[in-house]
Amino acid sequence: MIKIYLEDENKTKEIGYKLGKLLTPGSVICLIGDLGAGKTTMTQSLAKALEVDDYITSPTFTIVNEYEGKMPLYHFDVYRIGSSDEMYDIGYDEYINGEGVCIIEWANLIEDILPEEYLHIELRYKDMSREMILNPVGEKYEKIVEELTR
Ligand code: ADP
Ligand code: MG
């Protein structure tokens, strides 16, 4: 477990961008945190690093939004999901096993269907700032976290 203090919004963006540069096809990022913790802010910077030109907003009504970058970006927000089965209805298998990067906001709600390896990131309120807690699952993500914090 690695903790990074995110003093302000710019720091969130800076880390998000840096992380985005370390991602490769098939990477899966699970973003956990209360409303307003910074999940979408971080996703926006990640997307920038992946050379996505579109402006990213939370996919509130669609569960997943797809973007074209140097590789595809699949941005999930599963806050309103009823059960994991709904994920399969929207083609979850193809997304998760595909060549794009998957970012899943509220991934704790679909914990039973997460892949074997992923990067678990929790964003926590810390007074007016935020704290980022990184838990890599699998060697690929351990290396990414190592790079991110070096
Ligand atoms: P979420 O998607 O988790 O609901 P958003 O990214 O939509 O959260 O909103 C996060 C809010 O917190 C934004 O208003 C953003 O400016 C702010 N924010 C992001 N990072 C920090 C930080 N490190 N410290 C203080 N405020 C932050
Ligand atoms: Mg959001």
PDB file of all heavy atoms in Angstrom, residues 92-119:
ATOM      1  N   TYR A  92     -19.255  -5.952 -20.835  1.00  0.00           N
ATOM      2  CA  TYR A  92     -18.130  -5.842 -19.904  1.00  0.00           C
ATOM      3  C   TYR A  92     -16.953  -6.743 -20.272  1.00  0.00           C
ATOM      4  O   TYR A  92     -15.792  -6.328 -20.232  1.00  0.00           O
ATOM      5  CB  TYR A  92     -18.623  -6.172 -18.491  1.00  0.00           C
ATOM      6  CG  TYR A  92     -17.581  -6.127 -17.410  1.00  0.00           C
ATOM      7  CD1 TYR A  92     -16.992  -4.922 -17.040  1.00  0.00           C
ATOM      8  CD2 TYR A  92     -17.184  -7.285 -16.731  1.00  0.00           C
ATOM      9  CE1 TYR A  92     -16.042  -4.878 -16.022  1.00  0.00           C
ATOM     10  CE2 TYR A  92     -16.236  -7.251 -15.723  1.00  0.00           C
ATOM     11  CZ  TYR A  92     -15.667  -6.045 -15.370  1.00  0.00           C
ATOM     12  OH  TYR A  92     -14.735  -6.001 -14.373  1.00  0.00           O
ATOM     13  N   ASP A  93     -17.258  -7.987 -20.653  1.00  0.00           N
ATOM     14  CA  ASP A  93     -16.210  -8.952 -21.010  1.00  0.00           C
ATOM     15  C   ASP A  93     -15.280  -8.411 -22.089  1.00  0.00           C
ATOM     16  O   ASP A  93     -14.066  -8.522 -21.989  1.00  0.00           O
ATOM     17  CB  ASP A  93     -16.844 -10.258 -21.515  1.00  0.00           C
ATOM     18  CG  ASP A  93     -16.968 -11.277 -20.392  1.00  0.00           C
ATOM     19  OD1 ASP A  93     -16.165 -11.186 -19.443  1.00  0.00           O
ATOM     20  OD2 ASP A  93     -17.860 -12.133 -20.469  1.00  0.00           O
ATOM     21  N   GLU A  94     -15.912  -7.825 -23.120  1.00  0.00           N
ATOM     22  CA  GLU A  94     -15.118  -7.306 -24.243  1.00  0.00           C
ATOM     23  C   GLU A  94     -14.259  -6.130 -23.812  1.00  0.00           C
ATOM     24  O   GLU A  94     -13.106  -6.002 -24.220  1.00  0.00           O
ATOM     25  CB  GLU A  94     -16.022  -6.867 -25.406  1.00  0.00           C
ATOM     26  CG  GLU A  94     -16.524  -7.996 -26.284  1.00  0.00           C
ATOM     27  CD  GLU A  94     -17.739  -8.732 -25.725  1.00  0.00           C
ATOM     28  OE1 GLU A  94     -18.163  -8.460 -24.565  1.00  0.00           O
ATOM     29  OE2 GLU A  94     -18.274  -9.573 -26.429  1.00  0.00           O
ATOM     30  N   TYR A  95     -14.840  -5.278 -22.980  1.00  0.00           N
ATOM     31  CA  TYR A  95     -14.087  -4.107 -22.516  1.00  0.00           C
ATOM     32  C   TYR A  95     -12.888  -4.539 -21.674  1.00  0.00           C
ATOM     33  O   TYR A  95     -11.768  -4.098 -21.871  1.00  0.00           O
ATOM     34  CB  TYR A  95     -14.974  -3.199 -21.660  1.00  0.00           C
ATOM     35  CG  TYR A  95     -16.004  -2.422 -22.425  1.00  0.00           C
ATOM     36  CD1 TYR A  95     -17.362  -2.617 -22.195  1.00  0.00           C
ATOM     37  CD2 TYR A  95     -15.616  -1.460 -23.367  1.00  0.00           C
ATOM     38  CE1 TYR A  95     -18.317  -1.883 -22.874  1.00  0.00           C
ATOM     39  CE2 TYR A  95     -16.575  -0.726 -24.059  1.00  0.00           C
ATOM     40  CZ  TYR A  95     -17.924  -0.947 -23.799  1.00  0.00           C
ATOM     41  OH  TYR A  95     -18.857  -0.222 -24.481  1.00  0.00           O
ATOM     42  N   ILE A  96     -13.163  -5.401 -20.716  1.00  0.00           N
ATOM     43  CA  ILE A  96     -12.153  -5.741 -19.715  1.00  0.00           C
ATOM     44  C   ILE A  96     -11.030  -6.592 -20.310  1.00  0.00           C
ATOM     45  O   ILE A  96      -9.902  -6.562 -19.843  1.00  0.00           O
ATOM     46  CB  ILE A  96     -12.827  -6.422 -18.486  1.00  0.00           C
ATOM     47  CG1 ILE A  96     -12.080  -6.062 -17.209  1.00  0.00           C
ATOM     48  CG2 ILE A  96     -12.963  -7.905 -18.631  1.00  0.00           C
ATOM     49  CD1 ILE A  96     -12.373  -4.710 -16.667  1.00  0.00           C
ATOM     50  N   ASN A  97     -11.353  -7.346 -21.364  1.00  0.00           N
ATOM     51  CA  ASN A  97     -10.329  -8.171 -22.005  1.00  0.00           C
ATOM     52  C   ASN A  97      -9.789  -7.543 -23.289  1.00  0.00           C
ATOM     53  O   ASN A  97      -9.053  -8.176 -24.028  1.00  0.00           O
ATOM     54  CB  ASN A  97     -10.890  -9.569 -22.310  1.00  0.00           C
ATOM     55  CG  ASN A  97     -11.298 -10.296 -21.045  1.00  0.00           C
ATOM     56  OD1 ASN A  97     -10.506 -10.399 -20.111  1.00  0.00           O
ATOM     57  ND2 ASN A  97     -12.529 -10.779 -20.995  1.00  0.00           N
ATOM     58  N   GLY A  98     -10.176  -6.292 -23.524  1.00  0.00           N
ATOM     59  CA  GLY A  98      -9.794  -5.625 -24.765  1.00  0.00           C
ATOM     60  C   GLY A  98      -8.455  -4.920 -24.698  1.00  0.00           C
ATOM     61  O   GLY A  98      -7.709  -5.036 -23.728  1.00  0.00           O
ATOM     62  N   GLU A  99      -8.162  -4.159 -25.753  1.00  0.00           N
ATOM     63  CA  GLU A  99      -6.870  -3.500 -25.892  1.00  0.00           C
ATOM     64  C   GLU A  99      -6.895  -2.066 -25.365  1.00  0.00           C
ATOM     65  O   GLU A  99      -5.921  -1.323 -25.527  1.00  0.00           O
ATOM     66  CB  GLU A  99      -6.450  -3.485 -27.372  1.00  0.00           C
ATOM     67  CG  GLU A  99      -6.068  -4.851 -27.894  1.00  0.00           C
ATOM     68  CD  GLU A  99      -4.859  -5.440 -27.153  1.00  0.00           C
ATOM     69  OE1 GLU A  99      -3.766  -4.881 -27.296  1.00  0.00           O
ATOM     70  OE2 GLU A  99      -5.024  -6.425 -26.426  1.00  0.00           O
ATOM     71  N   GLY A 100      -8.003  -1.677 -24.765  1.00  0.00           N
ATOM     72  CA  GLY A 100      -8.078  -0.325 -24.232  1.00  0.00           C
ATOM     73  C   GLY A 100      -7.729  -0.273 -22.762  1.00  0.00           C
ATOM     74  O   GLY A 100      -7.448  -1.285 -22.134  1.00  0.00           O
ATOM     75  N   VAL A 101      -7.755   0.945 -22.226  1.00  0.00           N
ATOM     76  CA  VAL A 101      -7.570   1.141 -20.788  1.00  0.00           C
ATOM     77  C   VAL A 101      -8.963   1.276 -20.170  1.00  0.00           C
ATOM     78  O   VAL A 101      -9.800   2.005 -20.694  1.00  0.00           O
ATOM     79  CB  VAL A 101      -6.747   2.422 -20.517  1.00  0.00           C
ATOM     80  CG1 VAL A 101      -6.823   2.830 -19.058  1.00  0.00           C
ATOM     81  CG2 VAL A 101      -5.292   2.219 -20.940  1.00  0.00           C
ATOM     82  N   CYS A 102      -9.226   0.547 -19.087  1.00  0.00           N
ATOM     83  CA  CYS A 102     -10.504   0.643 -18.379  1.00  0.00           C
ATOM     84  C   CYS A 102     -10.313   1.404 -17.074  1.00  0.00           C
ATOM     85  O   CYS A 102      -9.457   1.044 -16.265  1.00  0.00           O
ATOM     86  CB  CYS A 102     -11.051  -0.746 -18.043  1.00  0.00           C
ATOM     87  SG  CYS A 102     -11.632  -1.683 -19.454  1.00  0.00           S
ATOM     88  N   ILE A 103     -11.096   2.463 -16.904  1.00  0.00           N
ATOM     89  CA  ILE A 103     -11.125   3.175 -15.624  1.00  0.00           C
ATOM     90  C   ILE A 103     -12.518   2.954 -15.046  1.00  0.00           C
ATOM     91  O   ILE A 103     -13.513   3.258 -15.716  1.00  0.00           O
ATOM     92  CB  ILE A 103     -10.955   4.693 -15.814  1.00  0.00           C
ATOM     93  CG1 ILE A 103      -9.821   4.995 -16.777  1.00  0.00           C
ATOM     94  CG2 ILE A 103     -10.825   5.403 -14.471  1.00  0.00           C
ATOM     95  CD1 ILE A 103      -8.535   5.327 -16.188  1.00  0.00           C
ATOM     96  N   ILE A 104     -12.598   2.434 -13.849  1.00  0.00           N
ATOM     97  CA  ILE A 104     -13.903   2.100 -13.268  1.00  0.00           C
ATOM     98  C   ILE A 104     -14.126   2.873 -11.972  1.00  0.00           C
ATOM     99  O   ILE A 104     -13.510   2.559 -10.943  1.00  0.00           O
ATOM    100  CB  ILE A 104     -14.017   0.582 -12.989  1.00  0.00           C
ATOM    101  CG1 ILE A 104     -13.576  -0.224 -14.217  1.00  0.00           C
ATOM    102  CG2 ILE A 104     -15.449   0.226 -12.575  1.00  0.00           C
ATOM    103  CD1 ILE A 104     -13.508  -1.728 -13.982  1.00  0.00           C
ATOM    104  N   GLU A 105     -14.978   3.920 -12.041  1.00  0.00           N
ATOM    105  CA  GLU A 105     -15.350   4.637 -10.820  1.00  0.00           C
ATOM    106  C   GLU A 105     -16.355   3.791 -10.037  1.00  0.00           C
ATOM    107  O   GLU A 105     -17.233   3.185 -10.624  1.00  0.00           O
ATOM    108  CB  GLU A 105     -15.970   6.005 -11.154  1.00  0.00           C
ATOM    109  CG  GLU A 105     -14.986   6.947 -11.841  1.00  0.00           C
ATOM    110  CD  GLU A 105     -15.494   8.391 -11.913  1.00  0.00           C
ATOM    111  OE1 GLU A 105     -16.179   8.855 -10.982  1.00  0.00           O
ATOM    112  OE2 GLU A 105     -15.189   9.053 -12.925  1.00  0.00           O
ATOM    113  N   TRP A 106     -16.207   3.752  -8.737  1.00  0.00           N
ATOM    114  CA  TRP A 106     -17.053   2.963  -7.832  1.00  0.00           C
ATOM    115  C   TRP A 106     -16.875   1.454  -8.064  1.00  0.00           C
ATOM    116  O   TRP A 106     -17.824   0.671  -7.912  1.00  0.00           O
ATOM    117  CB  TRP A 106     -18.539   3.327  -7.968  1.00  0.00           C
ATOM    118  CG  TRP A 106     -18.842   4.736  -7.608  1.00  0.00           C
ATOM    119  CD1 TRP A 106     -18.998   5.782  -8.465  1.00  0.00           C
ATOM    120  CD2 TRP A 106     -19.013   5.290  -6.286  1.00  0.00           C
ATOM    121  NE1 TRP A 106     -19.246   6.942  -7.764  1.00  0.00           N
ATOM    122  CE2 TRP A 106     -19.268   6.665  -6.432  1.00  0.00           C
ATOM    123  CE3 TRP A 106     -18.971   4.743  -4.996  1.00  0.00           C
ATOM    124  CZ2 TRP A 106     -19.484   7.515  -5.348  1.00  0.00           C
ATOM    125  CZ3 TRP A 106     -19.188   5.590  -3.919  1.00  0.00           C
ATOM    126  CH2 TRP A 106     -19.437   6.964  -4.101  1.00  0.00           C
ATOM    127  N   ALA A 107     -15.669   1.032  -8.396  1.00  0.00           N
ATOM    128  CA  ALA A 107     -15.402  -0.376  -8.714  1.00  0.00           C
ATOM    129  C   ALA A 107     -15.710  -1.309  -7.545  1.00  0.00           C
ATOM    130  O   ALA A 107     -15.918  -2.505  -7.745  1.00  0.00           O
ATOM    131  CB  ALA A 107     -13.945  -0.548  -9.143  1.00  0.00           C
ATOM    132  N   ASN A 108     -15.771  -0.771  -6.338  1.00  0.00           N
ATOM    133  CA  ASN A 108     -16.095  -1.605  -5.166  1.00  0.00           C
ATOM    134  C   ASN A 108     -17.493  -2.222  -5.292  1.00  0.00           C
ATOM    135  O   ASN A 108     -17.772  -3.244  -4.677  1.00  0.00           O
ATOM    136  CB  ASN A 108     -15.976  -0.790  -3.875  1.00  0.00           C
ATOM    137  CG  ASN A 108     -16.717   0.530  -3.925  1.00  0.00           C
ATOM    138  OD1 ASN A 108     -16.515   1.309  -4.860  1.00  0.00           O
ATOM    139  ND2 ASN A 108     -17.581   0.768  -2.965  1.00  0.00           N
ATOM    140  N   LEU A 109     -18.354  -1.603  -6.127  1.00  0.00           N
ATOM    141  CA  LEU A 109     -19.719  -2.133  -6.297  1.00  0.00           C
ATOM    142  C   LEU A 109     -19.770  -3.348  -7.220  1.00  0.00           C
ATOM    143  O   LEU A 109     -20.792  -4.024  -7.309  1.00  0.00           O
ATOM    144  CB  LEU A 109     -20.650  -1.033  -6.821  1.00  0.00           C
ATOM    145  CG  LEU A 109     -20.791   0.197  -5.908  1.00  0.00           C
ATOM    146  CD1 LEU A 109     -21.661   1.257  -6.555  1.00  0.00           C
ATOM    147  CD2 LEU A 109     -21.366  -0.210  -4.552  1.00  0.00           C
ATOM    148  N   ILE A 110     -18.670  -3.602  -7.939  1.00  0.00           N
ATOM    149  CA  ILE A 110     -18.641  -4.778  -8.827  1.00  0.00           C
ATOM    150  C   ILE A 110     -17.411  -5.637  -8.509  1.00  0.00           C
ATOM    151  O   ILE A 110     -16.792  -6.231  -9.396  1.00  0.00           O
ATOM    152  CB  ILE A 110     -18.646  -4.383 -10.322  1.00  0.00           C
ATOM    153  CG1 ILE A 110     -17.473  -3.442 -10.661  1.00  0.00           C
ATOM    154  CG2 ILE A 110     -19.966  -3.761 -10.724  1.00  0.00           C
ATOM    155  CD1 ILE A 110     -17.140  -3.441 -12.152  1.00  0.00           C
ATOM    156  N   GLU A 111     -17.078  -5.664  -7.244  1.00  0.00           N
ATOM    157  CA  GLU A 111     -15.860  -6.340  -6.785  1.00  0.00           C
ATOM    158  C   GLU A 111     -15.797  -7.804  -7.238  1.00  0.00           C
ATOM    159  O   GLU A 111     -14.724  -8.329  -7.528  1.00  0.00           O
ATOM    160  CB  GLU A 111     -15.797  -6.282  -5.251  1.00  0.00           C
ATOM    161  CG  GLU A 111     -14.404  -6.169  -4.698  1.00  0.00           C
ATOM    162  CD  GLU A 111     -14.391  -5.460  -3.354  1.00  0.00           C
ATOM    163  OE1 GLU A 111     -15.317  -5.680  -2.560  1.00  0.00           O
ATOM    164  OE2 GLU A 111     -13.444  -4.690  -3.125  1.00  0.00           O
ATOM    165  N   ASP A 112     -16.989  -8.448  -7.304  1.00  0.00           N
ATOM    166  CA  ASP A 112     -17.025  -9.876  -7.647  1.00  0.00           C
ATOM    167  C   ASP A 112     -16.661 -10.164  -9.094  1.00  0.00           C
ATOM    168  O   ASP A 112     -16.397 -11.312  -9.441  1.00  0.00           O
ATOM    169  CB  ASP A 112     -18.417 -10.452  -7.315  1.00  0.00           C
ATOM    170  CG  ASP A 112     -19.551  -9.644  -7.943  1.00  0.00           C
ATOM    171  OD1 ASP A 112     -19.429  -8.410  -8.040  1.00  0.00           O
ATOM    172  OD2 ASP A 112     -20.557 -10.247  -8.337  1.00  0.00           O
ATOM    173  N   ILE A 113     -16.631  -9.144  -9.949  1.00  0.00           N
ATOM    174  CA  ILE A 113     -16.321  -9.423 -11.358  1.00  0.00           C
ATOM    175  C   ILE A 113     -15.088  -8.658 -11.847  1.00  0.00           C
ATOM    176  O   ILE A 113     -14.888  -8.502 -13.046  1.00  0.00           O
ATOM    177  CB  ILE A 113     -17.525  -9.133 -12.284  1.00  0.00           C
ATOM    178  CG1 ILE A 113     -17.987  -7.679 -12.151  1.00  0.00           C
ATOM    179  CG2 ILE A 113     -18.669 -10.102 -11.996  1.00  0.00           C
ATOM    180  CD1 ILE A 113     -18.910  -7.238 -13.284  1.00  0.00           C
ATOM    181  N   LEU A 114     -14.266  -8.200 -10.928  1.00  0.00           N
ATOM    182  CA  LEU A 114     -13.031  -7.531 -11.338  1.00  0.00           C
ATOM    183  C   LEU A 114     -12.051  -8.570 -11.888  1.00  0.00           C
ATOM    184  O   LEU A 114     -12.108  -9.733 -11.510  1.00  0.00           O
ATOM    185  CB  LEU A 114     -12.410  -6.785 -10.150  1.00  0.00           C
ATOM    186  CG  LEU A 114     -13.194  -5.561  -9.666  1.00  0.00           C
ATOM    187  CD1 LEU A 114     -12.513  -4.941  -8.449  1.00  0.00           C
ATOM    188  CD2 LEU A 114     -13.353  -4.533 -10.779  1.00  0.00           C
ATOM    189  N   PRO A 115     -11.157  -8.143 -12.792  1.00  0.00           N
ATOM    190  CA  PRO A 115     -10.192  -9.112 -13.328  1.00  0.00           C
ATOM    191  C   PRO A 115      -9.179  -9.523 -12.253  1.00  0.00           C
ATOM    192  O   PRO A 115      -9.205  -8.992 -11.138  1.00  0.00           O
ATOM    193  CB  PRO A 115      -9.507  -8.330 -14.449  1.00  0.00           C
ATOM    194  CG  PRO A 115      -9.692  -6.900 -14.099  1.00  0.00           C
ATOM    195  CD  PRO A 115     -10.996  -6.812 -13.372  1.00  0.00           C
ATOM    196  N   GLU A 116      -8.294 -10.451 -12.602  1.00  0.00           N
ATOM    197  CA  GLU A 116      -7.334 -10.950 -11.623  1.00  0.00           C
ATOM    198  C   GLU A 116      -6.348  -9.876 -11.197  1.00  0.00           C
ATOM    199  O   GLU A 116      -5.887  -9.859 -10.056  1.00  0.00           O
ATOM    200  CB  GLU A 116      -6.566 -12.125 -12.226  1.00  0.00           C
ATOM    201  CG  GLU A 116      -7.009 -13.464 -11.669  1.00  0.00           C
ATOM    202  CD  GLU A 116      -6.379 -14.609 -12.427  1.00  0.00           C
ATOM    203  OE1 GLU A 116      -5.145 -14.662 -12.478  1.00  0.00           O
ATOM    204  OE2 GLU A 116      -7.144 -15.421 -12.970  1.00  0.00           O
ATOM    205  N   GLU A 117      -6.002  -9.013 -12.136  1.00  0.00           N
ATOM    206  CA  GLU A 117      -5.007  -7.974 -11.834  1.00  0.00           C
ATOM    207  C   GLU A 117      -5.561  -6.602 -12.179  1.00  0.00           C
ATOM    208  O   GLU A 117      -6.213  -6.422 -13.201  1.00  0.00           O
ATOM    209  CB  GLU A 117      -3.730  -8.239 -12.642  1.00  0.00           C
ATOM    210  CG  GLU A 117      -3.158  -9.619 -12.369  1.00  0.00           C
ATOM    211  CD  GLU A 117      -1.707  -9.745 -12.807  1.00  0.00           C
ATOM    212  OE1 GLU A 117      -1.250  -8.918 -13.625  1.00  0.00           O
ATOM    213  OE2 GLU A 117      -1.034 -10.664 -12.317  1.00  0.00           O
ATOM    214  N   TYR A 118      -5.286  -5.651 -11.321  1.00  0.00           N
ATOM    215  CA  TYR A 118      -5.743  -4.279 -11.554  1.00  0.00           C
ATOM    216  C   TYR A 118      -5.052  -3.372 -10.543  1.00  0.00           C
ATOM    217  O   TYR A 118      -4.431  -3.830  -9.586  1.00  0.00           O
ATOM    218  CB  TYR A 118      -7.269  -4.175 -11.414  1.00  0.00           C
ATOM    219  CG  TYR A 118      -7.803  -4.712 -10.105  1.00  0.00           C
ATOM    220  CD1 TYR A 118      -7.882  -3.897  -8.985  1.00  0.00           C
ATOM    221  CD2 TYR A 118      -8.202  -6.045  -9.984  1.00  0.00           C
ATOM    222  CE1 TYR A 118      -8.362  -4.395  -7.777  1.00  0.00           C
ATOM    223  CE2 TYR A 118      -8.676  -6.548  -8.788  1.00  0.00           C
ATOM    224  CZ  TYR A 118      -8.754  -5.717  -7.692  1.00  0.00           C
ATOM    225  OH  TYR A 118      -9.206  -6.204  -6.495  1.00  0.00           O
ATOM    226  N   LEU A 119      -5.201  -2.071 -10.768  1.00  0.00           N
ATOM    227  CA  LEU A 119      -4.683  -1.103  -9.801  1.00  0.00           C
ATOM    228  C   LEU A 119      -5.856  -0.507  -9.035  1.00  0.00           C
ATOM    229  O   LEU A 119      -6.751   0.092  -9.630  1.00  0.00           O
ATOM    230  CB  LEU A 119      -3.879   0.001 -10.514  1.00  0.00           C
ATOM    231  CG  LEU A 119      -3.326   1.110  -9.619  1.00  0.00           C
ATOM    232  CD1 LEU A 119      -2.461   0.551  -8.500  1.00  0.00           C
ATOM    233  CD2 LEU A 119      -2.516   2.102 -10.449  1.00  0.00           C
TER     234      LEU A 119
END
